[in-house]
Amino acid sequence: MTMKKPRIHVLALGGTIAMVQGGKAVRPGLLAENLISAIPELSQLANFNAETVSKLGSFDLTLDSLLKLATHIQNISDRRIADGVVITQGTDTLEETAFLLDTVLDVKIPVVVIGAMRNPLMISADGPGNLLAAVRTIISPEVRESEGKLGVLVTMLDTIHTARHVAKTDSSRIDAFSSPPTGPMGVLVEDRVYIHMYPDRNWKIAFIGICSGISAAMQDHPKQVGLVTVGLDESGGFLRALCESEDLLGY
């Protein structure tokens, strides 16, 4: 008897993985279906629904747009129209997207975020390999049968990270992502997925208790929070200006 192939929804946001030639530079332009069609092997692994959400650099993504994305993913899961979701985007804010989705989603299907360090016009572009690895991660029994207990994952360079621990630790190398506190959750060796450890999700239980789940988190109007780096012998001028401003400089 022929096994029914999994249904995977690919949501494309733009980024290096979707770059095309744009005059003297490159710009995000590939659609979700272009990313899928570039890997003929994918059609053997799953059935795909391709959706291009945006064609932006990840630095142009906003909290509002990502919360709308989360609502869409939640709807896909609740309606049971897919067995897994892959989000493709730029790498600059990939870890933030993964953690935000991990925080607000309450889904029973795997959700994997990927990107690329080399655009499709370069030799040895890594985007197709990352998308293939994401699909293999989703369809692996260990991940599919977890019923969402692993949280949102990031799959880059045949390495599987949890959203809570992953970080872009190098902006110039192809192996830019790592999980400094714990190491990766798993790896892919050719077409096989190996899970090394299962994440502690107690923080998620605590968050749901505080925020009453996804609806409360999405209804709150996002607030601007400034991140200030303070170095050795810092004069503190920016912090003083911030505190003395009547509107906290908009933060």
Side-chain angles (χ1 to χ4, degrees), residues 32-49:
E33 49 263 39
N34 300 139
L35 301 178
I36 296 169
S37 64
I39 314 169
E41 185 177 348
L42 287 181
S43 62
Q44 304 172 22
L45 300 177
N47 293 319
F48 290 90
N49 188 343

Side-chain angles (χ1 to χ4, degrees), residues 105-122:
L105 288 176
D106 181 18
V107 298
K108 302 298 183 184
I109 60 174
V111 176
V112 180
V113 186
I114 67 163
M117 293 300 294
R118 294 175 179 162
N119 71 64
L121 303 176
M122 299 177 69

